[in-house]
Amino acid sequence: MISDITIGQYYKGNSFIHKLDARAKILLTVLFIAMIFMCKNFLSLGLTFVFVVLSVLLSAVPVKMYLKSLKPIIPIVIFTAVLNMLYTGGETVLYSFWKITLTAEGLTTAAFFAARIVLIIISSSILTYTTVPTMLTDAIEKLLSPLKVFKIPVHSLAMMMTLALRFIPTLIEEIGKITNAQKARGADFESGKLLQRIKAIIPIIIPLVVSSFRRAAELADAMNCRCYTGGNTRTRMKQMKFCFKDFVSLLVFCIGIAGVVLLNIKFGAVI
Amino acid sequence: MNSTLLETKNLTYVYSKGTSSQVHAIRDICLKIEKSELVGVIGHTGSGKSTLIQHLNGLLKGTSGTVLLDGKDIWEKKSDIRKVRFRVGVCFQYPEYQLFEDTVYKDIAFGPTNMGLDRDEIDRRIREVIYYVGLDESYLEKSPFDLSGGEKRRVAIAGVMAMQPEILILDEPCAGLDPKGRETILSMIKDYREKTGSTVLFVSHSMEDISKIATKVLVMNESRLAYYDTVDEVFRHADELRNMGLNIPRLTKLFLMLREKGYDVNTNVYTLEKAKQELLALLSKGGTDK
Amino acid sequence: MENYIEFKDVSFAYIDEYDSTTENETVIDNLSVSITKGDFVCVLGHNGCGKSTFAKLCNAIEVPLSGKVYVDGIDTSDDDRLYDIRRKVGMVFQNPDNQIVATIVEDDVAFGPENLGVEPSEIRVRVDEALRQVEMYDFRLSEPHKLSGGQKQRVAIAGIIAMQPECIILDESTSMLDPRGRREVIKTVKKLNEEQGITVIFITHYMDEAVEADRVIVMDDGKIVLDGTPRDVFVHIDELKEIGLDVPEATELTAMLIKEGVSLREDILDVEELFDSVVKLMEEKS
């Protein structure tokens, strides 16, 4: 269900990872994703897996929460895995039936793809679970600030992200309310052909858009009242400090990537 | 005695069942609502009243227990649940935010069209309900988005009335309106019930509003049904209501205080006129008796 | 006493930018009034009487078409002083959802001071203090969408307090709340008014919220029709009903009894006062 989406959710805590600088965490996540894509054999994948497990443990966020973030993408994982399994050619036929041929290569590719998607979701969940969204957008703003040279409105973009994160739960709740209200008037969202189903959501979309505009106007007034003038003279309550542990973490991840590369070279690629 | 129209038997609903965070939203509700009653529903935010309402028209299905409409389980045939929603019409809080058509006419027509009624019947119903909500046919071609807040709300309520439900349920129909707007909605509810003879449930936080127009009061507290009885009977439990953090009508409170002080007064007083009579009687008696 | 906000012959209308042919409907009509520093002022009126526009004129969200509004001596039409005025006069709106900007309570409270360029360590102090004052400190790390309506409004109030304003305007901030939430909000602003001396302008259409104010201003059609203490204002039962407002039942009942020849004082505001008076009458008679 739509309410299961956990993107941008923060999990209160005081762990090592919670305390890392948000900018460091974003960079770490980027390194993580790089690492995941660089894996070419099961050993390097195993090393990456160890990194993920350790990070999850260090985050002190219950494993249940990570499983929850994986839940909505399970169908995608299965779908891509099955596609890979059936359409990757290969010599080592394991099983053949009618037009379906299962090869060892297919299985390997499928396993790799599934593992990659799962690991990427988990590593980005570590970031969002352990970082207050405002810090996250502040960090993005800081990391992208060199782009200001090219007249890119970095602050406004970061502000828009903050507001989007803030209003996602509100809008999800609102969609639920409007859906119930229209169902109470006999709206049918469950049956009919594709075209009918698309038509059926108009009574939800229009009120949602109307109310979003109303919210935006009110929010603009409220922000004006609180002296918001854009980014120039703003200060921040929560200061970002890049300290020793941030450097160490980045270093450890660089070593990890080096490890992945070494293992790839030493034991060859299977994908 | 009227015949029972809507009944719940041991209705219970549990959120996130089976996990550590499981919460009972409603617990073991047994309720019989008779035909043509005008029921005021009170209870705190989070007392379970909204969850209960969503069970009555099949938007939610109880974890256990049943809802019977005219003696038949509404979930007997799952595919018929939409038909139940036409018979039990629910209008949620701030219904003006669900308007979506470009004219009032089309918006009110949404429900009846979903019922599969023919055009003439829909047209007849629209022209009927627009008067029920205190507006007239000149509104039908207007855009609902150009109306005032109170008018929008009335159009939204008309949209539910047009389905001619046997039971009309209104969740806080007066929320956020000014005194005049509240007054309009209250007298509209009263008139509608008198004209059509339908059963009406309405949720309100105002004990005054409820005591003025309701025939029965339903009190929800901590996911259980606390009371379902006549107005007099429910407001007699002033102390219990106060313990639930609910009020009683202010005028009733005055007479309860006088009774506690030892004066012989009736306490089932909800209108100014009745209050005046009672006080005048008390004062004249007080002069002669002692 | 010192005048804090002053309206001098103010008129205002919303101008339709796309249609210059239509008459602009006057929302505020030649209004002159002043608000005393430290007062708890309640502005009553039905929807569309101009009370929200009145609020917006107080902190330069709107500026008068004619006449002047002064806040602590500053002309609100002076663009250079815009943010001085908004820092001094904070505003809490009707819908609690549409004024919270951050995903964590304390970050939202920090938003105002951050905009003002306050030092980070100072912001921290102000945010904690503000959250304690509205009794939301324990929720400082919560997500706003998980709070009740009353709690959200208290967070919004904390966000204003953290800017250290001299005046807070609540523009129908209780109208979407349940009775419990309304009580929480009223209690909070009463406390701020009494303990910190913050001027409060409380805009509402619930007459029972006006009973405790120092001063009640009743508006209709962009004009002030009644102005005085709650006792002075609520005895005007017929005028109030005429413009679609409620009167406390006790006041109305008292008036009905007086008409029948019962000797009561007419400015009774609640059932407790009426109870005391009736008991006194009964004891006199025996």
Side-chain angles (χ1 to χ4, degrees), chain C residues 35 39-45 54 200-219 226-228 230 233-234:
Chain C
I35 306 287
D39 258 5
F40 193 111
V41 181
C42 193
V43 181
L44 272 180
F54 174 81
V200 175
I201 301 177
F202 195 96
I203 294 171
T204 181
H205 48 235
Y206 291 114
M207 57 78 204
D208 47 334
E209 292 175 347
V211 168
E212 287 181 73
D214 295 319
R215 176 179 173 192
V216 177
I217 294 173
V218 180
M219 285 186 68
L226 291 166
D227 184 355
V233 167
F234 286 121

mmCIF file of all heavy atoms in Angstrom, chain C residues 35 39-45 54 200-219 226-228 230 233-234:
data_model
loop_
_atom_site.group_PDB
_atom_site.id
_atom_site.type_symbol
_atom_site.label_atom_id
_atom_site.label_comp_id
_atom_site.label_asym_id
_atom_site.label_seq_id
_atom_site.Cartn_x
_atom_site.Cartn_y
_atom_site.Cartn_z
ATOM 1 N N ILE C 35 -4.582 48.881 19.583
ATOM 2 C CA ILE C 35 -4.456 47.743 20.485
ATOM 3 C C ILE C 35 -3.390 48.091 21.519
ATOM 4 O O ILE C 35 -2.271 48.476 21.162
ATOM 5 C CB ILE C 35 -4.013 46.478 19.705
ATOM 6 C CG1 ILE C 35 -4.933 46.195 18.524
ATOM 7 C CG2 ILE C 35 -3.887 45.277 20.646
ATOM 8 C CD1 ILE C 35 -6.284 45.665 18.855
ATOM 9 N N ASP C 39 -2.294 43.536 26.132
ATOM 10 C CA ASP C 39 -3.702 43.129 26.216
ATOM 11 C C ASP C 39 -3.947 41.764 25.581
ATOM 12 O O ASP C 39 -3.193 41.347 24.697
ATOM 13 C CB ASP C 39 -4.591 44.150 25.502
ATOM 14 C CG ASP C 39 -5.277 45.076 26.489
ATOM 15 O OD1 ASP C 39 -4.973 44.971 27.693
ATOM 16 O OD2 ASP C 39 -6.097 45.903 26.053
ATOM 17 N N PHE C 40 -5.005 41.112 26.026
ATOM 18 C CA PHE C 40 -5.517 39.918 25.357
ATOM 19 C C PHE C 40 -6.801 40.351 24.672
ATOM 20 O O PHE C 40 -7.819 40.552 25.324
ATOM 21 C CB PHE C 40 -5.785 38.812 26.378
ATOM 22 C CG PHE C 40 -6.017 37.463 25.759
ATOM 23 C CD1 PHE C 40 -5.079 36.442 25.910
ATOM 24 C CD2 PHE C 40 -7.173 37.207 25.030
ATOM 25 C CE1 PHE C 40 -5.295 35.202 25.333
ATOM 26 C CE2 PHE C 40 -7.386 35.970 24.458
ATOM 27 C CZ PHE C 40 -6.448 34.966 24.610
ATOM 28 N N VAL C 41 -6.709 40.537 23.360
ATOM 29 C CA VAL C 41 -7.847 41.071 22.624
ATOM 30 C C VAL C 41 -8.461 39.979 21.765
ATOM 31 O O VAL C 41 -7.766 39.269 21.048
ATOM 32 C CB VAL C 41 -7.412 42.235 21.700
ATOM 33 C CG1 VAL C 41 -8.603 42.809 20.960
ATOM 34 C CG2 VAL C 41 -6.706 43.303 22.502
ATOM 35 N N CYS C 42 -9.768 39.846 21.853
ATOM 36 C CA CYS C 42 -10.457 38.856 21.042
ATOM 37 C C CYS C 42 -11.228 39.563 19.947
ATOM 38 O O CYS C 42 -11.976 40.508 20.227
ATOM 39 C CB CYS C 42 -11.392 38.072 21.953
ATOM 40 S SG CYS C 42 -12.001 36.628 21.168
ATOM 41 N N VAL C 43 -11.046 39.163 18.710
ATOM 42 C CA VAL C 43 -11.809 39.746 17.611
ATOM 43 C C VAL C 43 -12.839 38.728 17.156
ATOM 44 O O VAL C 43 -12.499 37.623 16.733
ATOM 45 C CB VAL C 43 -10.882 40.136 16.429
ATOM 46 C CG1 VAL C 43 -11.696 40.759 15.309
ATOM 47 C CG2 VAL C 43 -9.794 41.094 16.899
ATOM 48 N N LEU C 44 -14.103 39.093 17.279
ATOM 49 C CA LEU C 44 -15.206 38.192 16.937
ATOM 50 C C LEU C 44 -15.886 38.656 15.666
ATOM 51 O O LEU C 44 -15.992 39.856 15.413
ATOM 52 C CB LEU C 44 -16.263 38.226 18.046
ATOM 53 C CG LEU C 44 -16.192 37.316 19.263
ATOM 54 C CD1 LEU C 44 -17.375 37.610 20.162
ATOM 55 C CD2 LEU C 44 -16.193 35.859 18.853
ATOM 56 N N GLY C 45 -16.395 37.721 14.908
ATOM 57 C CA GLY C 45 -17.166 38.093 13.729
ATOM 58 C C GLY C 45 -17.468 36.857 12.926
ATOM 59 O O GLY C 45 -16.785 35.840 13.075
ATOM 60 N N PHE C 54 -8.141 41.891 8.736
ATOM 61 C CA PHE C 54 -7.662 42.711 9.853
ATOM 62 C C PHE C 54 -6.334 42.136 10.369
ATOM 63 O O PHE C 54 -5.362 42.866 10.556
ATOM 64 C CB PHE C 54 -8.725 42.725 10.952
ATOM 65 C CG PHE C 54 -8.308 43.416 12.219
ATOM 66 C CD1 PHE C 54 -8.358 44.802 12.329
ATOM 67 C CD2 PHE C 54 -7.866 42.683 13.315
ATOM 68 C CE1 PHE C 54 -7.967 45.430 13.490
ATOM 69 C CE2 PHE C 54 -7.472 43.309 14.481
ATOM 70 C CZ PHE C 54 -7.521 44.697 14.574
ATOM 71 N N VAL C 200 -1.794 39.614 22.737
ATOM 72 C CA VAL C 200 -2.424 38.548 21.960
ATOM 73 C C VAL C 200 -3.655 39.085 21.254
ATOM 74 O O VAL C 200 -4.501 39.737 21.864
ATOM 75 C CB VAL C 200 -2.820 37.358 22.869
ATOM 76 C CG1 VAL C 200 -3.593 36.312 22.071
ATOM 77 C CG2 VAL C 200 -1.588 36.723 23.512
ATOM 78 N N ILE C 201 -3.711 38.857 19.959
ATOM 79 C CA ILE C 201 -4.933 39.165 19.210
ATOM 80 C C ILE C 201 -5.509 37.833 18.762
ATOM 81 O O ILE C 201 -4.902 37.110 17.969
ATOM 82 C CB ILE C 201 -4.648 40.076 17.999
ATOM 83 C CG1 ILE C 201 -4.012 41.376 18.483
ATOM 84 C CG2 ILE C 201 -5.925 40.348 17.214
ATOM 85 C CD1 ILE C 201 -3.626 42.318 17.368
ATOM 86 N N PHE C 202 -6.653 37.491 19.324
ATOM 87 C CA PHE C 202 -7.217 36.161 19.157
ATOM 88 C C PHE C 202 -8.466 36.280 18.295
ATOM 89 O O PHE C 202 -9.477 36.832 18.727
ATOM 90 C CB PHE C 202 -7.563 35.621 20.548
ATOM 91 C CG PHE C 202 -7.826 34.156 20.591
ATOM 92 C CD1 PHE C 202 -6.826 33.270 20.945
ATOM 93 C CD2 PHE C 202 -9.080 33.655 20.279
ATOM 94 C CE1 PHE C 202 -7.065 31.907 20.993
ATOM 95 C CE2 PHE C 202 -9.318 32.294 20.322
ATOM 96 C CZ PHE C 202 -8.311 31.425 20.682
ATOM 97 N N ILE C 203 -8.371 35.778 17.073
ATOM 98 C CA ILE C 203 -9.493 35.925 16.150
ATOM 99 C C ILE C 203 -10.290 34.630 16.118
ATOM 100 O O ILE C 203 -9.726 33.552 15.950
ATOM 101 C CB ILE C 203 -8.968 36.298 14.754
ATOM 102 C CG1 ILE C 203 -8.349 37.689 14.854
ATOM 103 C CG2 ILE C 203 -10.063 36.249 13.713
ATOM 104 C CD1 ILE C 203 -7.598 38.117 13.654
ATOM 105 N N THR C 204 -11.595 34.737 16.301
ATOM 106 C CA THR C 204 -12.396 33.516 16.406
ATOM 107 C C THR C 204 -13.862 33.816 16.092
ATOM 108 O O THR C 204 -14.258 34.974 15.980
ATOM 109 C CB THR C 204 -12.301 32.918 17.838
ATOM 110 O OG1 THR C 204 -13.057 31.728 17.901
ATOM 111 C CG2 THR C 204 -12.812 33.885 18.884
ATOM 112 N N HIS C 205 -14.648 32.734 15.904
ATOM 113 C CA HIS C 205 -16.088 32.970 15.912
ATOM 114 C C HIS C 205 -16.780 32.199 17.036
ATOM 115 O O HIS C 205 -17.985 32.118 17.077
ATOM 116 C CB HIS C 205 -16.720 32.701 14.545
ATOM 117 C CG HIS C 205 -16.306 31.412 13.921
ATOM 118 N ND1 HIS C 205 -15.759 31.343 12.664
ATOM 119 C CD2 HIS C 205 -16.331 30.162 14.376
ATOM 120 C CE1 HIS C 205 -15.476 30.093 12.392
ATOM 121 N NE2 HIS C 205 -15.811 29.350 13.406
ATOM 122 N N TYR C 206 -15.977 31.629 17.935
ATOM 123 C CA TYR C 206 -16.564 30.992 19.110
ATOM 124 C C TYR C 206 -16.671 32.010 20.235
ATOM 125 O O TYR C 206 -15.663 32.459 20.754
ATOM 126 C CB TYR C 206 -15.671 29.858 19.607
ATOM 127 C CG TYR C 206 -15.606 28.665 18.717
ATOM 128 C CD1 TYR C 206 -14.434 28.322 18.072
ATOM 129 C CD2 TYR C 206 -16.732 27.853 18.548
ATOM 130 C CE1 TYR C 206 -14.360 27.206 17.255
ATOM 131 C CE2 TYR C 206 -16.656 26.735 17.732
ATOM 132 C CZ TYR C 206 -15.468 26.420 17.097
ATOM 133 O OH TYR C 206 -15.398 25.316 16.303
ATOM 134 N N MET C 207 -17.896 32.346 20.618
ATOM 135 C CA MET C 207 -18.028 33.382 21.637
ATOM 136 C C MET C 207 -17.489 32.917 22.991
ATOM 137 O O MET C 207 -16.993 33.723 23.761
ATOM 138 C CB MET C 207 -19.463 33.881 21.740
ATOM 139 C CG MET C 207 -20.505 32.849 22.029
ATOM 140 S SD MET C 207 -20.577 32.355 23.747
ATOM 141 C CE MET C 207 -21.315 30.743 23.603
ATOM 142 N N ASP C 208 -17.537 31.600 23.263
ATOM 143 C CA ASP C 208 -17.074 31.161 24.587
ATOM 144 C C ASP C 208 -15.573 31.366 24.771
ATOM 145 O O ASP C 208 -15.075 31.421 25.885
ATOM 146 C CB ASP C 208 -17.472 29.703 24.876
ATOM 147 C CG ASP C 208 -17.165 28.774 23.722
ATOM 148 O OD1 ASP C 208 -17.120 29.262 22.574
ATOM 149 O OD2 ASP C 208 -16.963 27.576 23.954
ATOM 150 N N GLU C 209 -14.833 31.488 23.650
ATOM 151 C CA GLU C 209 -13.402 31.754 23.765
ATOM 152 C C GLU C 209 -13.139 33.220 24.072
ATOM 153 O O GLU C 209 -12.057 33.588 24.515
ATOM 154 C CB GLU C 209 -12.689 31.355 22.467
ATOM 155 C CG GLU C 209 -12.708 29.850 22.265
ATOM 156 C CD GLU C 209 -12.117 29.419 20.937
ATOM 157 O OE1 GLU C 209 -11.901 30.276 20.054
ATOM 158 O OE2 GLU C 209 -11.881 28.210 20.786
ATOM 159 N N ALA C 210 -14.145 34.066 23.796
ATOM 160 C CA ALA C 210 -13.965 35.500 23.991
ATOM 161 C C ALA C 210 -14.228 35.919 25.428
ATOM 162 O O ALA C 210 -13.790 36.978 25.861
ATOM 163 C CB ALA C 210 -14.896 36.262 23.055
ATOM 164 N N VAL C 211 -14.911 35.058 26.175
ATOM 165 C CA VAL C 211 -15.340 35.420 27.526
ATOM 166 C C VAL C 211 -14.177 35.812 28.431
ATOM 167 O O VAL C 211 -14.280 36.703 29.257
ATOM 168 C CB VAL C 211 -16.168 34.255 28.135
ATOM 169 C CG1 VAL C 211 -16.387 34.451 29.618
ATOM 170 C CG2 VAL C 211 -17.500 34.151 27.417
ATOM 171 N N GLU C 212 -13.025 35.156 28.245
ATOM 172 C CA GLU C 212 -11.896 35.414 29.133
ATOM 173 C C GLU C 212 -10.965 36.538 28.691
ATOM 174 O O GLU C 212 -9.970 36.808 29.349
ATOM 175 C CB GLU C 212 -11.071 34.125 29.286
ATOM 176 C CG GLU C 212 -11.755 33.093 30.154
ATOM 177 C CD GLU C 212 -10.891 31.860 30.281
ATOM 178 O OE1 GLU C 212 -9.883 31.928 30.994
ATOM 179 O OE2 GLU C 212 -11.211 30.852 29.638
ATOM 180 N N ALA C 213 -11.261 37.155 27.541
ATOM 181 C CA ALA C 213 -10.362 38.191 27.024
ATOM 182 C C ALA C 213 -10.454 39.475 27.850
ATOM 183 O O ALA C 213 -11.399 39.693 28.594
ATOM 184 C CB ALA C 213 -10.713 38.477 25.568
ATOM 185 N N ASP C 214 -9.401 40.325 27.725
ATOM 186 C CA ASP C 214 -9.460 41.635 28.362
ATOM 187 C C ASP C 214 -10.419 42.538 27.591
ATOM 188 O O ASP C 214 -11.065 43.405 28.147
ATOM 189 C CB ASP C 214 -8.073 42.315 28.328
ATOM 190 C CG ASP C 214 -7.057 41.557 29.158
ATOM 191 O OD1 ASP C 214 -7.430 41.114 30.251
ATOM 192 O OD2 ASP C 214 -5.908 41.403 28.700
ATOM 193 N N ARG C 215 -10.426 42.312 26.283
ATOM 194 C CA ARG C 215 -11.205 43.202 25.437
ATOM 195 C C ARG C 215 -11.768 42.401 24.276
ATOM 196 O O ARG C 215 -11.084 41.528 23.741
ATOM 197 C CB ARG C 215 -10.267 44.293 24.916
ATOM 198 C CG ARG C 215 -10.885 45.255 23.941
ATOM 199 C CD ARG C 215 -9.819 46.268 23.559
ATOM 200 N NE ARG C 215 -10.258 47.141 22.491
ATOM 201 C CZ ARG C 215 -9.446 47.952 21.826
ATOM 202 N NH1 ARG C 215 -8.160 48.002 22.143
ATOM 203 N NH2 ARG C 215 -9.898 48.699 20.864
ATOM 204 N N VAL C 216 -12.987 42.697 23.910
ATOM 205 C CA VAL C 216 -13.613 42.020 22.770
ATOM 206 C C VAL C 216 -13.963 43.055 21.714
ATOM 207 O O VAL C 216 -14.569 44.081 22.020
ATOM 208 C CB VAL C 216 -14.899 41.271 23.204
ATOM 209 C CG1 VAL C 216 -15.585 40.637 21.999
ATOM 210 C CG2 VAL C 216 -14.588 40.213 24.252
ATOM 211 N N ILE C 217 -13.526 42.789 20.497
ATOM 212 C CA ILE C 217 -13.881 43.667 19.382
ATOM 213 C C ILE C 217 -14.763 42.860 18.444
ATOM 214 O O ILE C 217 -14.385 41.770 18.020
ATOM 215 C CB ILE C 217 -12.615 44.143 18.632
ATOM 216 C CG1 ILE C 217 -11.763 45.045 19.538
ATOM 217 C CG2 ILE C 217 -12.985 44.864 17.347
ATOM 218 C CD1 ILE C 217 -10.419 45.427 18.944
ATOM 219 N N VAL C 218 -15.955 43.347 18.168
ATOM 220 C CA VAL C 218 -16.862 42.626 17.270
ATOM 221 C C VAL C 218 -16.882 43.329 15.926
ATOM 222 O O VAL C 218 -17.095 44.539 15.850
ATOM 223 C CB VAL C 218 -18.293 42.563 17.846
ATOM 224 C CG1 VAL C 218 -19.209 41.808 16.898
ATOM 225 C CG2 VAL C 218 -18.284 41.918 19.215
ATOM 226 N N MET C 219 -16.611 42.572 14.871
ATOM 227 C CA MET C 219 -16.565 43.165 13.535
ATOM 228 C C MET C 219 -17.714 42.679 12.675
ATOM 229 O O MET C 219 -18.177 41.546 12.810
ATOM 230 C CB MET C 219 -15.249 42.791 12.844
ATOM 231 C CG MET C 219 -14.047 43.550 13.375
ATOM 232 S SD MET C 219 -12.569 43.211 12.411
ATOM 233 C CE MET C 219 -12.980 44.001 10.858
ATOM 234 N N LEU C 226 -18.933 46.583 17.946
ATOM 235 C CA LEU C 226 -18.925 46.640 19.409
ATOM 236 C C LEU C 226 -17.479 46.513 19.860
ATOM 237 O O LEU C 226 -16.679 45.851 19.227
ATOM 238 C CB LEU C 226 -19.744 45.497 20.014
ATOM 239 C CG LEU C 226 -21.264 45.515 19.847
ATOM 240 C CD1 LEU C 226 -21.839 44.160 20.210
ATOM 241 C CD2 LEU C 226 -21.891 46.621 20.681
ATOM 242 N N ASP C 227 -17.143 47.160 20.972
ATOM 243 C CA ASP C 227 -15.770 47.151 21.452
ATOM 244 C C ASP C 227 -15.794 47.417 22.949
ATOM 245 O O ASP C 227 -16.322 48.425 23.383
ATOM 246 C CB ASP C 227 -14.982 48.253 20.704
ATOM 247 C CG ASP C 227 -13.505 48.261 21.076
ATOM 248 O OD1 ASP C 227 -13.105 47.491 21.971
ATOM 249 O OD2 ASP C 227 -12.761 49.040 20.453
ATOM 250 N N GLY C 228 -15.270 46.503 23.733
ATOM 251 C CA GLY C 228 -15.246 46.723 25.180
ATOM 252 C C GLY C 228 -14.877 45.452 25.911
ATOM 253 O O GLY C 228 -14.423 44.483 25.300
ATOM 254 N N PRO C 230 -15.631 41.880 27.847
ATOM 255 C CA PRO C 230 -16.656 40.879 27.515
ATOM 256 C C PRO C 230 -18.015 41.216 28.133
ATOM 257 O O PRO C 230 -19.054 41.058 27.481
ATOM 258 C CB PRO C 230 -16.087 39.591 28.113
ATOM 259 C CG PRO C 230 -14.611 39.787 28.126
ATOM 260 C CD PRO C 230 -14.398 41.251 28.345
ATOM 261 N N VAL C 233 -19.707 43.902 26.138
ATOM 262 C CA VAL C 233 -20.085 43.505 24.784
ATOM 263 C C VAL C 233 -21.261 42.525 24.789
ATOM 264 O O VAL C 233 -22.217 42.687 24.032
ATOM 265 C CB VAL C 233 -18.867 42.899 24.041
ATOM 266 C CG1 VAL C 233 -19.295 42.186 22.766
ATOM 267 C CG2 VAL C 233 -17.859 43.996 23.725
ATOM 268 N N PHE C 234 -21.218 41.510 25.655
ATOM 269 C CA PHE C 234 -22.217 40.442 25.536
ATOM 270 C C PHE C 234 -23.621 40.812 26.013
ATOM 271 O O PHE C 234 -24.565 40.072 25.764
ATOM 272 C CB PHE C 234 -21.720 39.168 26.228
ATOM 273 C CG PHE C 234 -20.659 38.471 25.436
ATOM 274 C CD1 PHE C 234 -19.406 38.234 25.962
ATOM 275 C CD2 PHE C 234 -20.918 38.088 24.123
ATOM 276 C CE1 PHE C 234 -18.427 37.617 25.210
ATOM 277 C CE2 PHE C 234 -19.937 37.473 23.364
ATOM 278 C CZ PHE C 234 -18.682 37.234 23.908
#
